[in-house]
Amino acid sequence: MAKTEATQETNLLKDIIAHAKEYGFVYPSSEIYDGLQAVYDYGPYGTELKNNLKRLWWESMTRLHENIVGVDAAIFMHPTTWKASGHVDSFNDPMVDNKDSKKRYRADVLIEDKAAQYEQAGDLAKAKALLEEMGKLLDAEDLKTLRELMIREEITCPLSGTANWTEIRQFNLMFSTQVGSVADDSSTIYLRPETAQGIFVNFLNVQKTARMKVPFGIAQIGKAFRNEIVARQFIFRMREFEQMEMQYFVRPGTELEYYKEWADKRMKWHRALGIPSEKLRRHDHDKLAHYANAALDIEYEFPFGNKEVEGIHSRTDFDLMAHQKYSKKKQQYFDPEVNQNYVPYVIETSIGADRLFLMMLCNAYTEEELGGKKRVYLKFPPALAPVKAAILPLVKKDGLPDKAREIVANLKYDFNIIYEEAASIGKRYTRQDLIGTPYCIAVDHQTIEDDTVTIRHRDTTEQERVPITELHGRLSEACSFKRVFEAMG
Ligand code: GAP
């Protein structure tokens, strides 16, 4: 990316962050105390949008698949869970401090940034070699040589400009706390760093109580916590975030077939949300985690580059085997079709609700010229828009507010509707554009005479006259999830 292009992209992210705050989508957490790094709160419209996204994911998993059911496991889990999953021993990032600026960094991110500089300068071979060397050193946990690599590459702190680095240390990303009111009783437990383990430990409970037969899936939406060393890019990398994960249990030997099926399905899902194909990328992993036999990321072209939104992993029987070993309880399924007991293999789809939110916001944010003026609006698909329609009486008199209130009363049980009578109609349209309301319904003097209203369409600003009796049907058609589901194929 050329420098001016990169600057424009950074400015775009700044505009999106400012818009999100100004119009009630996302606020810094506890802002009156100057915020808390990498923690955010969702405002009125952000909450609606996020809830819509979570509901869409949930329904597309559980309603569209007869063999997927949901759970809602606790955030706190028995500490041995995290020993078994490998998080206690190896959920680490390499951390380094600059002695002059006292700023803390992830060593791998600094080296990746350097490789990106080589790439931007056109030296792809140098970038690749650097990343490969880093990968080998990280695998070997050779942090001393990793530091030497940083020095050799003249990697400096962006704040102090020096290469006065401390030793690199492994930093575990799990947050811990104590349970129990008496000091003696207390023991360390963790805030879950992923929701997946709440599914694995309930695998047999769900299989038995919901009488599931392999292949079947368990879906879950819930909070996860990671003490990220470097928190950057707004809600892209947070310390408290939400995951939407689905573990699909299959017969060993069939996993790659299901992996392919889920990879294709999830790509279609993102496209059905209105994300253009050219902004989505499938990134197959060359280097696999020790427990995986295939893995890929679905990436979106954010203003700060192509980045992961969702991960799809073929996790073999790693997790269930580990829980079997640590709990000493069999995690087997009896498959009547092959008359055999086995520990199932697992395909995982894992997406962050906040990252999905950011992708939708970036994709929706539109600036254009209209009549010589800049117009900004959020082009959400109607099914996901926080507010479906605004009902706007043209003036605050002549019975128009009463008529408008009647329309609200008729629609509010099925749609999130706003009623607004203050300010000029033009200003009210602009306000709805800024929060992404797809339809503005104006009630005027003609409405009193013939029970018709005008609908103004957000994306085209075109207006049409329709009978009030048609409003419910039109909104149902335009805003239903069914349309999105059908686009998933
Ligand atoms: N169970 C597998 C797992 O947790 P992951 O790649 O670490 O895999 C899955 O995370 C997804 O969770 C990511 O694709 C991303 O959308 C989201 N995610 C991970 N860390 C996050 C963070 N710090 N802030 C926001 N979202 C995050």
Side-chain angles (χ1 to χ4, degrees), residues 156-436:
T156 52
C157 166
L159 279 186
S160 66
T162 70
N164 195 5
W165 299 112
T166 60
E167 294 306 306
I168 301 175
R169 280 159 295 150
Q170 288 291 15
F171 176 77
N172 192 289
L173 300 188
M174 281 198 295
F175 283 102
S176 64
T177 186
Q178 305 297 122
V179 277
S181 54
V182 184
D184 286 352
D185 290 341
S186 66
S187 68
T188 300
I189 58 164
Y190 301 98
L191 272 70
R192 65 181 177 197
E194 62 170 13
T195 57
Q197 299 305 324
I199 294 180
F200 288 123
V201 298
N202 278 303
F203 152 70
L204 279 182
N205 279 340
V206 175
Q207 188 270 317
K208 286 181 182 145
T209 52
R211 292 177 293 119
M212 306 305 286
K213 288 199 173 73
V214 163
F216 75 93
I218 306 178
Q220 177 170 218
I221 299 178
K223 290 270 186 174
F225 303 83
R226 294 183 190 177
N227 198 0
E228 300 283 357
I229 299 172
V230 187
R232 291 200 295 195
Q233 290 135 353
F234 192 34
I235 56 171
F236 183 81
R237 195 172 299 286
M238 300 159 89
R239 296 204 165 107
E240 173 181 342
F241 58 102
E242 228 167 338
Q243 284 187 318
M244 308 195 284
E245 299 201 293
M246 194 279 296
Q247 313 292 326
Y248 202 69
F249 300 90
V250 305
R251 189 184 296 157
T254 62
E255 71 276 9
L256 292 180
E257 180 191 316
Y258 288 110
Y259 170 74
K260 186 179 173 316
E261 188 180 307
W262 277 105
D264 293 346
K265 260 192 197 178
R266 295 304 301 155
M267 272 307 237
K268 280 193 188 146
W269 191 88
H270 287 269
R271 282 193 220 110
L273 263 59
I275 308 296
S277 297
E278 63 276 12
K279 290 237 165 195
L280 285 171
R281 206 170 74 158
R282 173 182 161 145
H283 171 222
D284 291 273
H285 292 200
D286 302 326
K287 211 174 128 272
L288 295 170
H290 60 283
Y291 54 78
N293 63 3
L296 66 93
D297 297 335
I298 296 178
E299 294 181 345
Y300 172 72
E301 193 189 317
F302 286 100
F304 43 87
N306 285 307
K307 298 277 176 204
E308 173 187 345
V309 177
E310 171 156 9
I312 298 170
H313 314 113
S314 174
R315 291 180 75 120
T316 66
D317 57 1
F318 173 81
D319 302 86
L320 288 181
M321 280 293 203
H323 289 306
Q324 180 166 279
K325 180 176 151 204
Y326 278 85
S327 68
K328 301 190 180 59
K329 310 236 167 49
K330 280 213 159 72
Q331 298 297 308
Q332 286 186 340
Y333 167 78
F334 176 72
D335 189 335
E337 278 184 35
V338 290
N339 203 24
Q340 230 185 321
N341 274 307
Y342 55 76
V343 176
Y345 271 39
V346 172
I347 307 302
E348 168 183 76
T349 73
S350 175
I351 179 166
D354 312 271
R355 250 182 228 187
L356 171 63
F357 181 107
L358 183 59
M359 174 175 80
M360 294 306 291
L361 191 61
C362 292
N363 196 56
Y365 185 84
T366 313
E367 287 181 3
E368 61 184 31
E369 285 275 306
L370 189 75
K373 278 194 186 157
K374 187 169 117 176
R375 173 180 177 239
V376 176
Y377 65 103
L378 298 179
K379 203 171 43 180
F380 295 123
L384 294 165
V387 177
K388 306 305 182 204
I391 317 295
L392 314 171
L394 193 62
V395 288
K396 279 195 246 177
K397 54 183 185 181
D398 305 335
L400 302 192
D402 291 343
K403 194 74 189 167
R405 288 269 181 213
E406 260 175 48
I407 298 174
V408 173
N410 196 25
L411 298 175
K412 71 178 181 188
Y413 297 107
D414 297 310
F415 309 100
N416 192 25
I417 300 289
I418 277 188
Y419 171 86
E420 209 171 15
E421 58 179 28
S424 73
I425 194 86
K427 281 204 177 124
R428 283 181 275 165
Y429 285 156
T430 302
R431 161 115 193 118
Q432 295 306 317
D433 284 348
L434 292 164
I435 61 168

